[in-house]
Every structure is written in structure tokens, then in C-alpha cells.
Amino acid sequence: MTTDTTTSAVLLGEPLPIELMNTVSVVRAQTQDAIDTDAGAAAWLNAVAHRLQTEGAIPLEPLDAEQVGPTAEHLRELRSALRHLATETTDDPRPAATTPSLTRAEAIAALNDRSQAWPQLSWPGEAGPTRTYDGPGTVQDLAVQFIAHQAVELFTGPNRDRLRPCMAPNCLLFFVKNHSRREWCSPVCGNRVRVARHYRRHHPSESQN
């Protein structure tokens, strides 16, 4: 078995639901979907497995394209729902980056259908109490359910008002504005905006055409 932990997705350290939204991006003016194949979905899950373990005590073992199975499609469906809800939440003016186009009711239903993970108290031996998660199905199912559970918390908690679309040119990502001066998803996008502004200042006639 050959497993891959290198994902083509941009990982920014955002909450996992946002990291899932950000699996679609623009690279060299072309839209890139990091989980459009089973291999890509497996690689993304492998790349965030340490966070699933740390945040949800979910012991996801390394996966390959054959093992990921229907989990890949579940991730894509959840991502479409999350991006739709994020677009509505932030009044995102950017064109939709994923298909199919959903209504709000469809997006909510898709999210609720996946958010079947529930927290449990674990208190083994002399160790301190910890929170773990459980849900129906396999560990892979639980990984998707946990991300959906976190998404419910995202859209109903304080980070909802901090959620932002990155408005840098050719960026499709979302981020949580965790600092008053943060305007872009990453320093790369911030630099791209500064370069574009510098160019417009020095080539005003071109920007007017």
C-alpha cells in the first residue's frame, strides 16, 4: 500500500471546515481541486490526520485511493455545502468555485446529514479527562462527521462573524479574521495585492483601458 500525505490543497491552519472549503483554489490562473479524485481526497485526509487526532481524538490511519472509498464523495458534498453557506454568510461576491449549485436549504440539509459525530467524556485510569468523538460507521466516516460537527460550531459561534472571503486577485480561499489588521488569507495574497496596486499606480493609463 502506498499512501500520500502531500496534498495540493493550501493548508493555512484554519479550522478544519475552512481547510476543507479551501481544497479548491487557483493555480496559474486555473481552478485546482485538491480532492476531485479519490487519491486527492486520501492525501488531504492524510495531511490533516494529525489535527483529527489532536482535536477529535480520531485515530485515522493513512489511506490510499482504494481505501478512501465513498468518503471522498462525502468530502466533496460537504465542501459544496460549506462553501455555499460561507458565501451567504460573508456576502462573498466571487463566482462559485464548486458545483453543483445548492440552495441554502440543500446546503443546510447536506451539512446536517453529515454532522453525526457527538462528543463523549473519556477518563482512563489516572489520566485527566478528555473529550473524544464517536459516530456511526467507520473511522473515515467519523472524520467527515467531525468536520461537519465543527462546521455547525463555525456557523453558529463567534467565528461566523470573523469568516472572510479572500478578495485578493484569483483567490478562492476563506479565512477567519483573527487579527484586526488581517485582510488576506495569507502573506502570499497580501503581497499579490500590493504588487497589483503598485503596478496600477505606475501604469494608470493601462488600468483605465
Side-chain angles (χ1 to χ4, degrees):
M1 178 182 70
T2 301
T3 59
D4 189 1
T5 59
T6 304
T7 176
S8 62
V10 179
L11 296 175
L12 300 174
E14 298 290 342
L16 284 172
I18 299 179
E19 298 284 30
L20 178 58
M21 291 186 231
N22 290 347
T23 54
V24 60
S25 60
V26 174
V27 177
R28 297 183 182 88
Q30 297 293 321
T31 301
Q32 174 178 279
D33 186 343
I35 62 170
D36 63 340
T37 65
D38 288 357
W44 185 81
L45 282 169
N46 292 338
V48 301
H50 66 291
R51 292 190 56 184
L52 292 167
Q53 175 65 56
T54 301
E55 299 172 24
I58 298 172
L60 186 67
E61 295 294 329
L63 300 168
D64 63 16
E66 294 182 0
Q67 293 173 315
V68 73
T71 303
E73 186 58 31
H74 296 165
L75 279 174
R76 289 188 283 268
E77 292 172 354
L78 179 59
R79 180 187 61 188
S80 292
L82 297 184
R83 287 191 67 95
H84 178 91
L85 295 173
T87 295
E88 285 208 11
T89 297
T90 61
D91 293 324
D92 182 4
R94 302 173 302 181
T98 57
T99 55
S101 177
L102 302 174
T103 65
R104 179 195 291 182
E106 289 170 338
I108 292 172
L111 171 55
N112 288 339
D113 186 53
R114 295 295 170 205
S115 59
Q116 301 175 43
W118 58 82
Q120 293 183 323
L121 177 67
S122 178
W123 201 336
E126 298 299 320
T130 60
R131 179 170 56 182
T132 62
Y133 285 84
D134 201 357
T138 66
V139 174
Q140 294 169 219
D141 294 328
L142 181 58
V144 179
Q145 293 159 6
F146 176 67
I147 295 171
H149 175 85
Q150 285 193 324
V152 173
E153 295 182 339
L154 171 67
F155 288 117
T156 59
N159 278 341
R160 179 181 187 276
D161 292 333
R162 304 185 188 115
L163 184 62
R164 300 286 188 275
C166 183
M167 299 306 296
N170 294 321
C171 187
L172 299 175
L173 307 190
F174 288 90
F175 66 97
V176 171
K177 186 180 175 73
N178 52 13
H179 190 282
S180 60
R181 298 182 62 184
R182 186 179 182 188
E183 296 296 335
W184 320 109
C185 70
S186 68
V188 173
C189 274
N191 185 62
R192 187 183 302 135
V193 171
R194 286 188 289 271
V195 169
R197 287 173 178 168
H198 177 83
Y199 185 88
R200 287 196 299 270
R201 281 197 301 268
H202 289 80
H203 301 81
S205 60
E206 293 185 20
S207 40
Q208 291 173 3
N209 294 334

